[in-house]
Amino acid sequence: MHDLATTLWPYNRSITGPGLRQTLDILSKRHDGFRTHHFKTGTHVFDWEIPREWTIWDAYIEHESGQRFAEFAKNNLSVLGYAAPLDIVLDHADLDPYLYTQPDQPDRIPYVTSYYKERSGFCMRENEKAALPTGKFRLFIDSEFSDGEVVIGECVIPGESDREILFSTYICHPSMANNELSGPVLADQILQDLAERKASTGLRYTYRVLFLVETIGSIAYLSRFAGHLKAQVDAGFVLSCVGDERAYSHVESRFGTSLADRALNAALKGLPNTKRYSFLQRGSDERQFCAPGIDLPVCGFCKSKYGEYQEYHTDADDLTLVTPKGLSDAHRVISDVIGALEHGLYPKTNVLCEPQMGKRGLYPTISQKGSYDAVRLRMDTLAYADGQIDVFDMCERIGVNLGTLNDELEILTVNGLISTENAKHELETGNVG
């Protein structure tokens, strides 16, 4: 995952343009069945309109001495996102309207955009701005607006049922690693995992993975496919900022009670520095998926939540902040969710009363004070495996992490003590969750 992030890092991604297409082209070559959806400039998508496409080749501020500042070629955050073409000469005193800094982080280049109102500008460190020499400056932006399109990537992996699990992430941000290369590379890994699982054991659910541009992309996609998603999706997860090592974050769906919320809550149970945020603290595409009238069962998963870590939307959000361990930890959370869904939501014991566990090597054959503690989780799992309580509720009742419960369920299934026929029946009739 980190290697893929490194490959994608240099591209100047935005809500339209070459960097977006290049990113989708790389992702598409990694997965069978990957396709794209295209929304042309001027197309109305609900209350929005697809904007003109933006292409940029170069940008810089050049002092009369020849010294350059805010060079796009050195850091693509140095130009205002969607900046209009510009070529003017100004005195030092007239620069302010064109310069964007983050005064509370004077050593960082901020990420600033102006997608829906045409303007020109540069982003730079506050300390660098304060140190600009006097004299005249040339402000040059070689960019272009044209009729184009917003492009969305999608990969669907069919399962036994047409009931769907949705994963969504976005690919519209330029070189920032946690927000947002971590989400796409995790989504890419999820697709690889699902393809391998389908080839080896098959899939119960159908999985839909979306690579969107934030806000306008999810709105455009929903304008075309909301009816299908409302009819088919049982749970969905927006993946954003999932690559650092500091925290685990759950951003609730609108009411915080969906199957997705309960799944993520169970997967995060007991993990260190876990935080749960109300839908009132939303900020990613759960805003659109959970909007009134859309009402999809979608929540957000982050490590450190967007807006909550100091490097967010600055050049400090780099490939040192996102680590292989951080990505691996996020991957384990989502793998636990998928594992539970695929094992079956409603495990049911095959034996009336407690089974004789000792003869199966699943219980101590010497009874002594304290010997039961080692198998308490196993016995509690059996006690609640009635075919009516789902695995996420079991985690809450027993007080155990989803990954740990998955391990116990696997042991009990291999030994013939539980089955998931009821879960499969519910899945096939479209009633899961």
Side-chain angles (χ1 to χ4, degrees), residues 292-304:
I294 303 295
D295 296 311
L296 290 170
V298 173
C299 67
F301 172 50
C302 313
K303 294 299 288 306
S304 292

Side-chain angles (χ1 to χ4, degrees), residues 222 230 254 279 286-296:
L222 287 166
K230 284 167 66 67
R254 195 151 61 101
F279 187 68
E286 66 274 0
R287 293 156 30 230
Q288 316 310 331
F289 292 122
C290 298
I294 303 295
D295 296 311
L296 290 170

Side-chain angles (χ1 to χ4, degrees), residues 349-366 371-372 374-385 407-418:
T349 181
N350 294 328
V351 180
L352 295 178
C353 295
E354 288 186 356
Q356 221 291 0
M357 305 287 277
K359 67 182 182 181
R360 297 174 172 88
L362 301 177
Y363 195 94
T365 53
I366 295 233
S371 62
Y372 183 79
V375 292
R376 181 176 295 277
L377 171 59
R378 185 162 298 159
M379 304 311 292
D380 287 346
T381 301
L382 278 169
Y384 282 100
D407 291 341
E408 285 299 325
L409 289 170
E410 181 65 26
I411 291 169
L412 294 172
T413 301
V414 167
N415 282 274
L417 293 175
I418 64 167

Side-chain angles (χ1 to χ4, degrees), residues 44-49 216 219 223:
H44 287 276
V45 290
F46 296 139
D47 196 42
W48 294 63
E49 183 177 312
I216 189 66
I219 289 172
S223 75

Side-chain angles (χ1 to χ4, degrees), residues 1-14 19-20 22-23 26-27 72-77 109 111 171-182 184-185 309 311 313-322:
M1 287 185 283
H2 200 272
D3 287 346
L4 179 59
T6 302
T7 297
L8 295 174
W9 174 262
Y11 295 107
N12 185 50
R13 283 169 295 278
S14 186
L20 177 64
Q22 290 163 333
T23 299
I26 289 170
L27 292 169
F72 174 75
K74 291 184 177 178
N75 190 313
N76 56 29
L77 298 185
I109 302 172
Y111 170 57
I171 52 172
C172 51
H173 287 39
S175 298
M176 291 177 290
N178 210 28
N179 179 233
E180 190 64 62
L181 277 175
S182 63
V185 299
Y309 61 95
E311 297 89 351
H313 276 202
T314 74
D315 65 326
D317 188 347
D318 60 24
L319 289 166
T320 63
L321 176 63
V322 169

